[in-house]
Amino acid sequence: TKTIFSKQGNFNIFLPIDVKKTADANNSNDNDNFVVIAGWASTPDWDTQGESVDPIGIDAEYFKQAGWIDYEHDTNDVIGFPTGNTFTDPNQGLYVEAKLFKSNPHVQSILDLYSDIQGTDRANSLGFSIEGQVKERDEENPRIIKSVWITGVAVTKNPANMQATWELLQKSNTLEAGYGL
């Protein structure tokens, strides 16, 4: 059986996330309303779907300006947005820092699960998944995505890129009180 890849189309790629303190600790309104997560949303590593994204071809400008963070690829279930600390590194990929709406039930569920799995062998199982359109695939190896337009990022329990790593940067005071981190 031969697998055929289209040169263009929609895609989803999964990577782990991190939870950290809001950058401006003096802004109590942010601490009351948001939790900040951060991590690599795309790297050139091969994922479990057998694909790799070339970091040089990542176009995340739309995402940084107008994109959203959604829950498990349901684009109608917005749970946050990227911050100004989101960037593309031409060697490592797309790094996302996002503010999630702390009052959203899915965010609360994610934080509970995050807390529950800390210190286990499943601690890196929560992740990001990029969403958008493939603009170009490598002609010699169509499993390599050479150009991609990122429109959104999902938070998911099923990251496909197992090579991406993350660590807890800081615990938010509100998380420590509310979620036992």
Side-chain angles (χ1 to χ4, degrees):
T1 304
K2 183 177 180 181
T3 304
I4 299 174
F5 297 93
S6 67
K7 290 191 177 204
Q8 297 179 353
N10 294 334
F11 66 95
N12 297 310
I13 297 175
F14 312 93
L15 293 170
I17 61 173
D18 187 17
V19 176
K20 72 177 200 175
K21 187 175 182 177
T22 303
D24 183 359
N26 296 323
N27 189 341
S28 62
N29 187 36
D30 269 4
N31 284 339
D32 292 341
N33 297 317
F34 301 106
V35 61
V36 179
I37 63 173
W40 292 100
S42 180
T43 71
D45 296 301
W46 292 97
D47 66 20
T48 59
Q49 298 167 346
E51 293 188 320
S52 173
V53 176
D54 184 344
I56 293 173
I58 295 173
D59 178 354
E61 289 309 308
Y62 174 86
F63 169 67
K64 292 189 286 185
Q65 298 293 319
W68 296 98
I69 305 296
D70 62 60
Y71 179 72
E72 294 289 354
H73 292 292
D74 182 348
T75 57
N76 292 317
D77 199 352
V78 172
I79 61 172
F81 54 90
T83 73
N85 292 328
T86 297
F87 65 92
T88 303
D89 179 286
N91 296 310
Q92 293 185 340
L94 176 63
Y95 183 84
V96 173
E97 180 183 90
K99 287 186 177 183
L100 303 184
F101 307 118
K102 197 166 79 174
S103 63
N104 183 289
H106 290 305
V107 173
Q108 293 173 9
S109 175
I110 291 164
L111 294 176
D112 287 342
L113 180 57
Y114 180 85
S115 177
D116 289 345
I117 64 176
Q118 291 307 296
T120 71
D121 62 351
R122 302 283 304 189
N124 68 344
S125 64
L126 296 177
F128 283 127
S129 176
I130 58 175
E131 302 168 332
Q133 294 181 349
V134 173
K135 296 296 189 182
E136 179 187 358
R137 290 185 179 269
D138 187 90
E139 288 185 23
E140 292 180 24
N141 184 351
R143 292 179 180 262
I144 299 172
I145 298 170
K146 298 296 286 181
S147 177
V148 61
W149 182 51
I150 307 295
T151 58
V153 171
V155 171
T156 181
K157 296 179 290 289
N158 301 299
N161 188 331
M162 304 310 286
Q163 299 302 314
T165 60
W166 57 270
E167 60 186 71
L168 181 63
L169 301 178
Q170 286 185 306
K171 299 176 186 175
S172 166
N173 293 335
T174 55
L175 284 178
E176 290 177 313
Y179 294 97
L181 290 176

